Amino acid sequence: MNILLKSAKIIDKHNESLHLKTRDILIKDGIISKIAAKIEPESKTQVVKHKNLHVSIGWFDSSVSFGEPGYEERETIENGLRTAALSGFTDVVLNPNAHPCPDSSSDIVYLKNAAVGQPTNLYPLGTLTMKADGNDLAELYDMRNAGAVGFYDYKLPMINANLLKVALQYVQNFDGLVYSFPLDTKIAGKGIVNEGEISTKLGLKGVPTLAEELQVVRDLFILEYTGGKLHIPTISTANSVKLIADAKKKGLNVSCSVAIHNLVYTDSVLDEFDSIFKVMPPLRTKADAKALLKGLKDGVVDFVTSDHTPMNIEEKRVEFDNASYGTIGLETAFGSLNQLLDIETVIDLLSKGRERYGLESPILKEKQAACLTLFNPDETFIFNEEHITSTSKNSMFIGAEMKGSVYGTINNGNYTSNN
């Protein structure tokens, strides 16, 4: 299949010869054949024209959950990857948020096979411990050989410090990446929202920032002792940014991410007890969101994520205390992040992170495989349920203004389009 992109403005600050230039791009059988000021379409070529068309390398998301296997009513792998493609993402890392959770090589093979032929590439995480129960290490080496790009007991802290130590030492034999969710459960107790003025006013049990920061300090001390590669997912506090910045100055091999909703929203939205805003880590204060955004700009926070977490309506439309955590975020990742930062920074953030997982980053140049995202950075609209392609509709962004829309992606030889 041949595709010709007409008058596409290229956003790729790592490619000085093409960055901010408007070019035609010809793609033949999945390979970028020609990039020039003007290219005439050949026969049997699909010509793609869009208003204010921009193009970048395909976007990457380090934290998505679907449902399959076990929770297919939330989201299947097939529809989840289609949603990712329509949202601009050509590559996603899949959380081990399923039942049964993937803790063996055969589980990883199943997930990889389920994604074959889909418009977005799927890279699964395996659990760090068997059944994600925190007691015994899972089959880390075998899962790595089967295609797992890291090891994570999804949203569960590693309570046993010695087990984290052993894991960090063990994975150095094959350059594995260990996740540690930043939450001290003893400090957090039964808290469900950020501890502070808002939680006190609403009478909701709070999760103090200390619960995150104590765990971050512990994990960084262990990493300094063991060596290895550590990833701290979805941090949410200003002090976590500072702690990780200090660790990086020491030369520790640590990375971290932040969920886009923790940049956009604060605990002030909880006034009406709407469980759509119940997430973990919880929405924090304006000062925390500001520090996280600054951490992104400074490079302390390595990448952003949608932290896409589909949930059935029955799991959300209950009392706040009993509601499940999570919001979907793939469809709104670009439009919400683009409200906060300039377009070049947004595209850089949405494109980076692959190297941390041992994946090659695509290159936008002739004779390279076409892995592209097509978008309009200037269109504004109000996000509503009609814009959701996920099976679950639990988005905290419904009713929010978006800046920027995605036309689609070109990946694996196919053009997946919203039009």
Side-chain angles (χ1 to χ4, degrees):
M1 181 181 182
N2 295 345
I3 302 169
L4 177 61
L5 305 182
K6 294 294 291 181
S7 301
K9 187 172 183 177
I10 296 169
I11 305 293
D12 187 354
K13 71 179 190 179
H14 302 292
N15 187 340
E16 292 184 6
S17 63
L18 290 175
H19 184 47
L20 300 180
K21 303 288 197 308
T22 299
R23 295 287 186 268
D24 289 359
I25 303 173
L26 178 63
I27 299 157
K28 292 185 175 182
D29 299 322
I31 304 297
I32 299 174
S33 174
K34 188 177 181 181
I35 302 174
K38 187 173 182 180
I39 302 173
E40 293 299 329
E42 303 171 3
S43 60
K44 296 182 180 180
T45 297
Q46 180 180 357
V47 178
V48 176
K49 294 181 179 180
H50 289 295
K51 178 183 177 182
N52 195 31
L53 175 61
H54 286 58
V55 64
S56 72
I57 64 169
W59 300 344
F60 171 79
D61 194 336
S62 64
S63 177
V64 303
S65 297
F66 296 142
E68 186 179 352
Y71 303 115
E72 286 85 354
E73 71 279 4
R74 295 178 185 172
E75 190 65 277
T76 62
I77 288 174
E78 180 180 2
N79 191 65
L81 292 176
R82 176 177 173 273
T83 296
L86 294 173
S87 303
F89 295 92
T90 56
D91 301 271
V92 297
V93 173
L94 182 67
N95 290 314
N97 184 19
H99 183 74
C101 54
D103 60 3
S104 69
S105 58
S106 59
D107 294 328
I108 299 300
V109 169
Y110 169 84
L111 295 170
K112 295 284 287 184
N113 287 342
V116 171
Q118 298 301 321
T120 292
N121 302 317
L122 181 150
Y123 301 98
L125 294 168
T127 60
L128 185 59
T129 63
M130 296 295 294
K131 299 181 181 179
D133 63 10
N135 292 320
D136 299 293
L137 290 182
E139 301 173 7
L140 306 186
Y141 180 69
D142 289 346
M143 285 194 289
R144 172 62 184 267
N145 287 342
V149 295
F151 310 105
Y152 181 26
D153 289 354
Y154 177 69
K155 301 281 186 179
L156 297 172
M158 181 57 65
I159 295 173
N160 186 333
N162 186 61
L163 200 58
L164 178 63
K165 176 180 77 73
V166 171
L168 284 166
Q169 291 170 326
Y170 176 63
V171 299
Q172 291 177 50
N173 295 310
F174 50 91
D175 197 32
L177 179 64
V178 170
Y179 275 58
S180 182
F181 186 67
L183 183 71
D184 184 307
T185 55
K186 295 295 184 183
I187 297 291
K190 296 181 179 179
I192 53 175
V193 299
N194 179 57
E195 182 179 86
E197 183 181 339
I198 300 295
S199 65
T200 303
K201 173 184 168 185
L202 299 178
L204 294 172
K205 293 175 181 174
V207 180
T209 58
L210 180 66
E212 175 171 307
E213 294 151 6
L214 272 181
Q215 196 81 351
V216 169
V217 169
R218 186 206 72 170
D219 292 350
L220 292 174
F221 267 116
I222 294 172
L223 178 65
E224 186 172 10
Y225 177 82
T226 60
K229 290 168 60 176
L230 178 68
H231 181 65
I232 303 176
T234 57
I235 64 171
S236 67
T237 80
N239 205 30
S240 289
V241 177
K242 182 179 182 299
L243 291 166
I244 292 168
D246 291 343
K248 288 186 172 185
K249 287 176 184 175
K250 289 182 179 180
L252 300 188
N253 193 346
V254 60
S255 57
C256 66
S257 63
V258 61
I260 293 173
H261 52 256
N262 280 98
L263 301 171
V264 176
Y265 291 105
T266 68
D267 57 0
S268 63
V269 299
L270 299 173
D271 273 352
E272 297 183 4
F273 296 91
D274 190 344
S275 63
I276 202 69
F277 295 106
K278 185 179 179 182
V279 288
M280 184 55 68
L283 302 175
R284 301 288 189 183
T285 66
K286 188 174 182 179
D288 289 311
K290 185 177 179 181
L292 290 163
L293 194 61
K294 185 177 185 300
L296 271 175
K297 294 177 182 177
D298 295 343
V300 175
V301 181
D302 297 270
F303 28 88
V304 295
T305 173
S306 68
D307 204 26
H308 182 80
T309 310
M311 285 292 166
N312 301 331
I313 190 170
E314 296 86 357
E315 296 171 283
K316 279 291 187 179
R317 195 167 291 176
V318 293
E319 296 85 356
F320 197 97
D321 278 5
N322 298 324
S324 296
Y325 294 102
T327 178
I328 58 172
L330 282 170
E331 295 97 328
T332 53
F334 175 55
S336 52
L337 192 62
N338 197 33
Q339 293 270 32
L340 302 175
L341 297 160
D342 66 272
I343 186 60
E344 292 178 48
T345 302
V346 168
I347 299 308
D348 186 48
L349 288 172
L350 290 175
S351 304
K352 70 190 294 193
R354 291 175 174 88
E355 292 81 2
R356 187 63 174 165
Y357 297 87
L359 307 173
E360 287 190 16
S361 189
I363 301 173
L364 204 168
K365 62 185 291 189
E366 292 178 359
K367 299 182 181 180
Q368 296 290 323
C371 178
L372 306 172
T373 297
L374 284 56
F375 57 96
N376 177 351
D378 300 324
E379 181 182 358
T380 58
F381 63 99
I382 302 300
F383 184 78
N384 58 49
E385 198 166 310
E386 294 177 1
H387 299 110
I388 297 176
T389 52
S390 299
T391 301
S392 296
K393 311 301 178 185
N394 57 306
S395 172
M396 68 168 67
F397 291 90
I398 290 176
E401 182 174 318
M402 299 285 115
K403 181 187 176 186
S405 59
V406 175
Y407 290 127
T409 54
I410 297 174
N411 191 38
N412 299 329
N414 296 308
Y415 175 38
T416 307
S417 171
N418 277 300
N419 299 295

